[in-house]
């Protein structure tokens, strides 16, 4: 097997299992552990995985989030349920903001069902999907493009948002600890915060598995969101803290 084929196979295993073991990979591909180390080093350098003791993972860490291309392949059914719940909050004629992220990309791509609508986004996947959509006014935010997050960030993005206003902002996050949302990238945090400031209401989109996790940068207190949408009940202690704070939590169900 050629090197690139082996590395693609490693990524396929990671998408399926979220973590891989160094010894297992060496045995599977009949190569030395040093060869696997080099593969994992190069894939980590490309931002596709995070090396851990004895292997690698694509699970988020305090300073790591896997590449957009990887996240887009994960948790498809959960994202569909959450997108359906999010669309229930949208009325025709609204202006909505959609941030970066694979969950937000799936939601944004489905917004044609809510038309007529104005959509403001820095998410390149949403821009691509909606650029020719009928009855959708698309406001694409410029800025510095990040391939890792497949979106646009920086001063240009934030300045544009300062001059805009929306009815709803859909904000996604990779980590929630206690009553705070976190993110590992400061540019993403600033863009998300700018969207929240520019919207009448903000809705947090978060996979239930991301509760009980932290990251390098604080994004917002959960009380700053008007609603939280997740795909399954979080751990009892996390659910209890949200309920005590009086925050609306929606558990997305399968669309009828």
């Amino acid at each position: 097997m050629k090197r690139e084929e082996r590395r693609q196979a490693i990524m396929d295993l990671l998408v399926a299992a979220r973590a891989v073991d160094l010894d297992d990979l060496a045995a599977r591909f009949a190569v030395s552990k040093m060869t696997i180390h080099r593969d994992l080093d190069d894939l980590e350098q490309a931002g596709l995985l995070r090396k851990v003791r004895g292997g690698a993972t694509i699970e988020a860490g305090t300073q790591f989030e896997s590449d957009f291309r990887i996240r887009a392949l994960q948790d498809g059914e959960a994202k569909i349920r959450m997108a359906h719940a999010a669309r229930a909050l949208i009325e025709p004629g609204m202006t909505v903001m959609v941030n970066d992220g694979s969950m937000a990309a799936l939601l944004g791509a489905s917004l044609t069902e809510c038309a007529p609508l104005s959509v403001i986004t820095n998410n390149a996947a949403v821009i691509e999907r909606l650029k020719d959509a009928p009855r959708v006014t698309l406001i694409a935010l410029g800025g510095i493009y990040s391939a890792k997050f497949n979106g646009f960030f920086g001063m240009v993005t934030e300045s544009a948002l300062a001059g805009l206003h929306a009815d709803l902002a859909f904000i996604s996050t990779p980590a929630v600890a206690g009553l705070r949302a976190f993110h590992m990238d400061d540019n993403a945090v600033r863009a998300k915060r700018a969207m929240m400031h520019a919207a009448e209401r903000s809705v947090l989109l978060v996979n239930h598995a991301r509760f009980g996790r932290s990251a390098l940068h604080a994004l917002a207190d959960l009380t700053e969101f008007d609603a939280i949408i997740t795909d399954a009940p979080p751990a009892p202690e996390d659910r209890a803290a949200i309920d005590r704070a009086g925050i609306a939590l929606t558990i997305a169900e399968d669309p009828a």
Side-chain angles (χ1 to χ4, degrees), residues 179-253:
L179 292 177
R180 301 187 84 183
F182 293 85
H183 201 283
M184 57 288 299
D185 187 88
D186 58 341
N187 286 316
V189 166
R190 288 197 297 270
K192 293 172 191 289
R193 292 289 308 175
M195 285 189 175
M196 293 170 66
H197 286 309
E200 286 289 331
R201 293 184 291 151
S202 297
V203 178
L204 183 66
L205 307 172
V206 56
N207 186 289
H208 79 283
R210 301 302 182 103
F211 284 90
R213 298 185 181 185
S214 185
L216 183 60
H217 301 283
L219 168 61
D221 291 341
L222 297 190
T223 53
E224 297 181 61
F225 296 97
D226 296 275
I228 300 173
I229 296 174
T230 188
D231 62 302
E237 60 272 20
D238 296 313
R239 178 63 185 268
I242 291 170
D243 290 343
R244 285 196 301 269
I247 303 167
L249 178 66
T250 296
I251 308 300
E253 299 178 351

Side-chain angles (χ1 to χ4, degrees), residues 10 13 24 34 57 73 96 129 131 143 146 170 181-182 192:
I10 291 172
L13 289 169
D24 288 346
M34 185 56 66
T57 182
L73 300 174
V96 301
R129 177 63 179 84
K131 66 182 182 181
S146 166
F170 290 103
F182 293 85
K192 293 172 191 289

Side-chain angles (χ1 to χ4, degrees), residues 9-255:
I10 291 172
M11 292 311 305
D12 291 342
L13 289 169
L14 277 165
V15 169
R18 298 182 181 267
V20 291
D21 179 81
L22 177 68
D23 292 337
D24 288 346
L25 291 176
R28 176 187 289 268
F29 299 114
V31 296
S32 69
K33 289 193 285 186
M34 185 56 66
T35 295
I36 296 298
H37 266 301
R38 287 195 292 268
D39 288 340
L40 297 181
D41 284 340
D42 288 345
L43 291 169
E44 183 177 51
Q45 185 64 33
L48 295 174
L49 55 77
R50 174 168 59 98
K51 287 187 73 177
V52 295
R53 184 181 296 276
T57 182
I58 53 174
E59 294 287 5
T62 58
Q63 299 185 58
F64 171 81
E65 174 72 303
S66 58
D67 188 276
F68 178 90
R69 291 167 293 176
I70 302 302
R71 288 179 282 121
L73 300 174
Q74 297 176 304
D75 304 316
E77 292 182 3
K79 290 173 182 174
I80 290 171
R81 295 199 307 273
M82 292 168 67
H84 180 78
R87 289 198 307 271
L89 302 176
I90 302 172
E91 298 178 4
M94 277 186 169
T95 296
V96 301
M97 290 179 173
V98 180
N99 76 173
D100 66 285
S102 58
M103 168 63 241
L106 191 148
L107 168 62
S110 70
L111 290 180
T112 53
E113 300 177 23
C114 304
L117 204 66
S118 294
V119 179
I120 301 167
T121 186
N122 66 332
N123 191 317
V126 178
I127 293 169
E128 178 62 28
R129 177 63 179 84
L130 297 184
K131 66 182 182 181
D132 298 317
R135 301 196 305 153
V136 173
T137 299
L138 175 64
I139 301 175
L141 299 169
I144 299 173
Y145 177 72
S146 166
K148 182 179 184 66
F149 294 105
N150 199 30
F152 297 89
F153 304 93
M155 291 184 61
V156 173
T157 312
E158 296 158 33
S159 296
L161 284 165
L164 297 168
H165 183 265
D167 298 293
L168 275 173
F170 290 103
I171 307 297
S172 55
T173 189
V176 172
L179 292 177
R180 301 187 84 183
F182 293 85
H183 201 283
M184 57 288 299
D185 187 88
D186 58 341
N187 286 316
V189 166
R190 288 197 297 270
K192 293 172 191 289
R193 292 289 308 175
M195 285 189 175
M196 293 170 66
H197 286 309
E200 286 289 331
R201 293 184 291 151
S202 297
V203 178
L204 183 66
L205 307 172
V206 56
N207 186 289
H208 79 283
R210 301 302 182 103
F211 284 90
R213 298 185 181 185
S214 185
L216 183 60
H217 301 283
L219 168 61
D221 291 341
L222 297 190
T223 53
E224 297 181 61
F225 296 97
D226 296 275
I228 300 173
I229 296 174
T230 188
D231 62 302
E237 60 272 20
D238 296 313
R239 178 63 185 268
I242 291 170
D243 290 343
R244 285 196 301 269
I247 303 167
L249 178 66
T250 296
I251 308 300
E253 299 178 351
D254 290 323

